[in-house]
């Protein structure tokens, strides 16, 4: 198979996180595109073909359901650490997106492989989502805020005791593009061992 390597390189280098304040609110991403993004996610590498990912997709009225759930759980469990601004963001941000996809890790029941390998596989799936989102000219953002690490949130997403909620992937049309990004020189990050 032959691919346009320059286009692939360009796609990887121009992938950006696009945050809720940058979204074209009220503009819905076609469901066929969302399905393609998720299909590409499932082609991520994963040890032993465990395919440890699960995605819960919120759109339409489902966005309000997610917003209310996470804001109220935050309010209930934050006690003295409660911040009104955080509560309001949890209520508002999902409604700015076209879709919000809960990123979940479903542990292999046999636990053949270490959990960190399954987390890495789900992370690779999210990178596929990011790249596909960018290829369609859309905006995406993986956040681990809100209720991500709360055990009490698992049931809402259909997760068992050994499973994990790893965050949310926001998806939307872009109103305000993200600025260009830079990376440190490759030689600062790579050590070559040739003999």
């Amino acid at each position: 198979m032959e691919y346009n390597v320059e286009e692939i390189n360009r796609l990887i280098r121009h992938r950006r996180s696009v945050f809720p304040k940058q979204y074209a609110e009220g503009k819905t991403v076609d469901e066929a595109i969302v399905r393609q993004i998720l299909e590409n996610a499932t082609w991520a590498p994963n040890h032993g073909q465990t395919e440890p990912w699960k995605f819960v997709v919120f759109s339409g009225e489902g966005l309000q359901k997610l917003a209310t759930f996470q804001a109220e759980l935050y309010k209930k469990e934050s006690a003295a650490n409660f911040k009104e601004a955080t509560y309001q963001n949890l209520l508002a941000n999902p409604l700015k997106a076209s879709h919000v996809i809960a990123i979940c890790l479903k542990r292999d029941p046999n636990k053949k492989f270490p959990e960190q390998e399954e987390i890495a596989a789900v992370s690779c799936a999210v990178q596929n989502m990011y790249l596909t989102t960018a290829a369609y000219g859309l905006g995406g953002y993986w956040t681990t805020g809100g209720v991500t690490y709360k055990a009490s949130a698992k049931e809402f997403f259909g997760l068992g005791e050994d499973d994990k909620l790893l965050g949310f992937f926001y998806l939307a049309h872009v109103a305000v593009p993200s600025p260009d990004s830079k990376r440190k020189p490759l030689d600062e990050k790579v050590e070559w061992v040739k003999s």
Side-chain angles (χ1 to χ4, degrees):
M1 293 183 168
E2 291 187 23
Y3 301 97
N4 184 326
V5 175
E6 288 306 314
E7 280 297 300
I8 293 169
N9 290 341
R10 194 167 78 82
L11 174 63
I12 291 169
R13 291 176 186 156
H14 288 89
R15 186 232 32 96
R16 298 284 177 273
S17 289
V18 180
F19 303 99
K21 65 184 179 184
Q22 298 171 261
Y23 297 163
E25 291 183 46
K27 196 170 177 186
T28 304
V29 175
D30 187 271
E31 187 173 314
I33 293 173
V34 179
R35 287 182 174 277
Q36 186 63 66
I37 290 166
L38 293 167
E39 177 70 27
N40 288 353
T42 69
W43 285 92
N46 58 104
H47 195 174
Q49 301 297 303
T50 59
E51 299 186 46
W53 38 73
K54 174 185 176 180
F55 304 108
V56 182
V57 183
F58 296 88
S59 63
E61 293 301 314
L63 293 167
Q64 183 65 63
K65 184 176 181 179
L66 171 64
T68 300
F69 168 76
Q70 68 176 0
E72 293 306 318
L73 185 62
Y74 166 75
K75 186 177 192 177
K76 178 181 171 186
E77 294 192 1
S78 61
N81 296 321
F82 178 81
K83 294 179 182 157
E84 183 65 29
T86 300
Y87 178 79
Q88 292 302 325
N89 280 338
L90 290 170
L91 279 175
N93 281 342
L95 306 180
K96 296 175 183 176
S98 170
H99 293 73
V100 177
I101 303 165
I103 302 162
C104 306
L105 164 66
K106 292 288 285 182
R107 282 289 276 148
D108 174 34
N110 299 319
K111 297 182 182 167
K112 294 186 293 188
F113 305 108
E115 182 182 70
Q116 64 261 27
E117 292 188 20
E118 292 187 329
I119 292 171
V122 175
S123 299
C124 288
V126 174
Q127 176 68 351
N128 284 1
M129 293 167 68
Y130 258 124
L131 293 174
T132 308
T133 297
Y136 278 106
L138 299 168
Y141 162 56
W142 182 7
T143 178
T144 56
V147 300
T148 298
Y149 300 120
K150 295 188 177 295
S152 55
K154 287 184 179 185
E155 184 179 346
F156 183 81
F157 299 98
L159 299 174
E161 185 180 336
D162 291 334
D163 303 330
K164 296 205 177 314
L165 177 62
L166 296 179
F168 301 93
F169 191 83
Y170 279 60
L171 178 64
H173 287 276
V174 180
V176 180
S178 293
D180 286 342
S181 185
K182 294 180 181 177
R183 294 291 188 266
K184 293 179 182 176
L186 184 62
D187 289 339
E188 290 183 21
K189 301 287 184 178
V190 177
E191 178 180 340
W192 298 90
V193 180
K194 295 185 177 182
S195 61

